[in-house]
Amino acid sequence: MRYHLLILLLCSSFTMATPFETCSGKAYLFQRKPLVVYEVNLLTGNYEQVQGTIASGRNININGLGFDYYFNEQGQSESYFYGFSTTTLEFMRLDKDFNETTLPLINQPGGSFYVGDVYDHHYYFYRTGSGLYKVNLDEDADNYLVVQTITNTARVQLTDFAFHPDHILYGIDNRSGVLHRFDIETGVATAVGNTGVTGTFGAAYFDSDGYMYISRNQDGHIFRINPMADDVSAEFFAYGPSSNQNDGARCVFADLITEDDTTQYDFGDAPESYGNSVDSNGPRHEFQGELYLGMNKPGDDNNNDGLGLVTGLVKGLDSPTVITASEEAYLQAWVDWNQDGVFSAEDEQIAKNQRLQAGSNVISLEVPVDAEPGVTWARLRYGSQQDIGPLGGAIDGEVEDHQVVVTDEGVSYSYYPSADGWTTLAYEDLWPYEGDYDMNDVVFHYRTVTVEQAGQLKRVDFHGQLVAIGASYHNGFAIRVPGVQASAVDTQAMKYTHIVNGAEATLQSNPIEQGSDELIAIITGDVWQLVDTNCDFYRTSSQCMDDIQFEFELRLPFTELQPASSISTLYDPFIFATPNRYHGSYFNSNPGREWEMHLADMAPTEQADTGMLATGDDTSSQEQQRFFKNANNLPWAMEMATSWKHPKSGVDLLQAYPKFRDHILSNKQEFKDWYQSHRRVDSQVYP
């Protein structure tokens, strides 16, 4: 009773507090110093700042947060937030207006506390290495604000815990991701299972259905866990605000969507296996009136009008689609190609962070060759956020689910050298003179995909990596598809992307060479513009190691089937002199685009100056269809059907691969494996 009287005296000058009257479905997140309070919608991750500082304006933060939803015997609310100021080490109560009241604890342990929650009008708090404690919040109790030690054994690494609506206390070990259940009478921690996620989980909440939600400080990701299930794996639920100082609490007795919630949500409507509800963590958007697909907003009649298929979906082919958007924002989309009832987040994604403009947007949809024919589902998610998956919440925009039909019309794919392997292209740029013949002036990894229908060419794809530049001359790189006209390309369905330093692929403008009747795609006008190095050359010296910095992917679909004679494995990749750049004393002026150099016996394009043929060391003959070889049949460009290691700068090819000479002298009948690893001299090649 002495303690109680002392506390009443200490509290006599406190500001009159206004308690909370309702059990809100929102979560409250306390961050930073000075304190910033957010109201968070756990369903979507949307958050709104509701308080800039505590009402007094003191420069403190509050952690170990718990919400006490409590009404006394007279029916009066005594519902407040409780927590510790880690700045002043004071125990505090906050009312609905964020007026703070300092409550002097009796027997308060030393140090800061970041972990806390409230159950049955008692505040529980914890620190690893210190213990688990509780405080009675009943002002009429004899032990009001007296700290009771439950245990001094506290080995679990926690940054927050929370009470289940059935009054069970749970917390996650940040280092291991293991969920623990705490006995609030003894303090014993029992491992329930591994959640599969780690990090600093500064805020933990429960809803009235018994789901636990944890917010990770580093990225703001909100995960959901069912601690009563056999599998307690955490599932990504929504994006929230990130912070290095983070704690939260909510009313454990509230549903995520309460009766007074006026928020408009847009849910997916594919079958339940794809996710279409909160229980299944289906996609949901907090519709805010501005971002939506189609002409009709969510809630209007016929609001699933954002997708228009120009043609049917044929396995192995490209299908132009029209996506209508209200404003500029991002599209994510998936199709269940294998019809297993779920959207694979990566394997079945057809659009990732696709920037849409207001109005109609034409997007080429590539149907995999192994897609299952029949009726399946597509999911489109559109809004201001990037990188959202097929499930979980989004702060704005709309989700649309559509039934689509995939048909099989006899399409086949051919890969060269394989579906995921590389062939290597190596060029010498001193043509028509031999030079040092180190075959590393321009080196590309290269792969082709040929799509055939009824034995004719429907589409061809090219993939490449710039592997090395061992020349001071500036060269461009291009690909010709012999026997096909440039006008045959379906430019709406064409796709051309660059990947720089392993980052996300970025769309590029139309690469088809203007002014050429032949189909020629200019990958780059100058390979030196694609890399950044401190060395004289790029990836040709073991003293100067660089990572591969540039990749490209080019998909060329045709408006009509092209003749079988145009089908090839390599097609025609070649280099050309960069316009307006010096290319050797042999030329009176800079030769530019007219200087080309191809693989052996590939004819030059219509843009080449054929007067350069059969000059210097070159023995080309248009009559014999012999091109780009010297008198010894040595070419200036070669293809090796593997990820070939090229010679170092200044190292002759014969020094690095001695059996190449025998291969040529035998008219290519012997030592066909001259370029393989067991034939090379490792000290003479780039590592």
Side-chain angles (χ1 to χ4, degrees), residues 70-137:
Y70 180 78
F71 287 78
N72 60 29
E73 293 180 355
Q74 289 74 41
Q76 298 170 327
S77 176
E78 296 181 13
S79 303
Y80 300 98
F81 284 112
Y82 292 88
F84 278 97
S85 164
T86 56
T87 308
T88 63
L89 307 185
E90 297 171 312
F91 183 58
M92 291 189 167
R93 183 184 71 192
L94 293 175
D95 70 2
K96 65 176 298 185
D97 299 318
F98 298 94
N99 293 302
E100 84 276 16
T101 301
T102 299
L103 302 177
L105 297 181
I106 308 300
N107 301 328
Q108 178 176 333
S112 300
F113 287 87
Y114 300 89
V115 180
D117 202 10
V118 176
Y119 155 63
D120 194 26
H121 212 31
H122 284 72
Y123 176 77
Y124 292 77
F125 60 106
Y126 175 98
R127 188 174 72 238
T128 304
S130 176
L132 175 63
Y133 310 90
K134 74 174 181 178
V135 174
N136 194 336
L137 301 176

Side-chain angles (χ1 to χ4, degrees), residues 89-404:
L89 307 185
E90 297 171 312
F91 183 58
M92 291 189 167
R93 183 184 71 192
L94 293 175
D95 70 2
K96 65 176 298 185
D97 299 318
F98 298 94
N99 293 302
E100 84 276 16
T101 301
T102 299
L103 302 177
L105 297 181
I106 308 300
N107 301 328
Q108 178 176 333
S112 300
F113 287 87
Y114 300 89
V115 180
D117 202 10
V118 176
Y119 155 63
D120 194 26
H121 212 31
H122 284 72
Y123 176 77
Y124 292 77
F125 60 106
Y126 175 98
R127 188 174 72 238
T128 304
S130 176
L132 175 63
Y133 310 90
K134 74 174 181 178
V135 174
N136 194 336
L137 301 176
D138 184 354
E139 296 182 5
D140 295 326
D142 289 342
N143 62 347
Y144 175 52
L145 298 185
V146 177
V147 175
Q148 303 171 61
T149 301
I150 297 172
T151 182
N152 291 122
T153 302
R155 299 188 179 93
V156 182
Q157 188 74 39
L158 298 179
T159 42
D160 202 11
F161 56 26
F163 275 98
H164 186 280
D166 288 341
H167 317 310
I168 306 169
L169 184 59
Y170 289 96
I172 295 176
D173 189 302
N174 292 331
R175 296 170 300 185
S176 66
V178 172
L179 177 69
H180 289 80
R181 180 175 59 248
F182 293 85
D183 187 318
I184 60 174
E185 297 297 329
T186 65
V188 172
T190 302
V192 178
N194 199 310
T195 63
V197 293
T198 56
T200 304
F201 299 108
Y205 319 91
F206 270 94
D207 67 15
S208 60
D209 292 323
Y211 283 108
M212 184 180 188
Y213 303 85
I214 52 175
S215 176
R216 187 161 59 191
N217 290 16
Q218 293 93 323
D219 51 22
H221 287 185
I222 299 170
F223 298 90
R224 183 175 72 171
I225 301 163
N226 183 356
M228 298 297 191
D230 293 334
D231 181 2
V232 295
S233 296
E235 60 179 342
F236 174 80
F237 199 70
Y239 298 90
S242 59
S243 175
N244 60 356
Q245 294 185 29
N246 198 35
D247 200 2
R250 76 183 295 271
C251 182
V252 69
F253 306 112
D255 297 333
L256 290 186
I257 302 178
T258 57
E259 292 182 358
D260 60 349
D261 188 351
T262 59
T263 306
Q264 183 179 354
Y265 298 101
D266 185 52
F267 283 85
D269 49 18
E272 178 67 16
S273 66
Y274 294 101
N276 63 10
S277 64
V278 176
D279 286 344
S280 59
N281 193 22
R284 55 214 177 266
H285 291 245
E286 187 169 330
F287 181 62
Q288 301 190 30
E290 297 177 352
L291 298 178
Y292 55 92
L293 293 167
M295 303 301 295
N296 298 304
K297 299 180 179 181
D300 294 345
D301 293 336
N302 190 29
N303 60 29
N304 257 28
D305 60 343
L307 172 67
L309 293 174
V310 179
T311 63
L313 300 181
V314 180
K315 60 184 295 185
L317 296 184
D318 301 287
S319 174
T321 61
V322 178
I323 308 293
T324 304
S326 63
E327 294 186 9
E328 187 173 325
Y330 296 100
L331 174 72
Q332 325 291 329
W334 300 262
V335 177
D336 180 16
W337 297 123
N338 62 6
Q339 298 184 33
D340 64 349
V342 295
F343 295 113
S344 174
E346 296 182 1
D347 296 341
E348 296 182 324
Q349 187 161 14
I350 59 172
K352 182 176 183 180
N353 301 331
Q354 179 84 45
R355 189 75 172 172
L356 299 184
Q357 304 300 318
S360 296
N361 300 262
V362 178
I363 296 174
S364 179
L365 193 162
E366 183 180 359
V367 184
V369 70
D370 58 352
E372 187 72 23
V375 179
T376 189
W377 283 88
R379 171 164 288 165
L380 283 62
R381 303 192 68 181
Y382 162 77
S384 65
Q385 292 171 288
Q386 299 186 57
D387 297 317
I388 62 174
L391 300 174
I395 62 174
D396 56 23
E398 182 185 10
V399 54
E400 287 192 1
D401 290 342
H402 295 265
Q403 272 195 319
V404 294

Side-chain angles (χ1 to χ4, degrees), residues 412-425 444-452 459-464 567-573 599 638-643 672 675-676:
S412 65
Y413 275 42
S414 299
Y415 302 90
Y416 183 80
S418 64
D420 55 4
W422 295 110
T423 192
T424 304
L425 307 172
F444 268 88
H445 283 158
Y446 183 76
R447 180 191 309 133
T448 67
V449 183
T450 299
V451 181
E452 297 179 48
R459 192 185 87 210
V460 60
D461 301 347
F462 301 98
H463 306 250
I567 296 173
S568 175
T569 53
L570 280 174
Y571 297 90
D572 183 19
L599 294 167
M638 295 191 300
E639 180 253 339
M640 285 67 62
T642 187
S643 296
K672 294 180 180 180
Y675 57 88
Q676 298 286 359

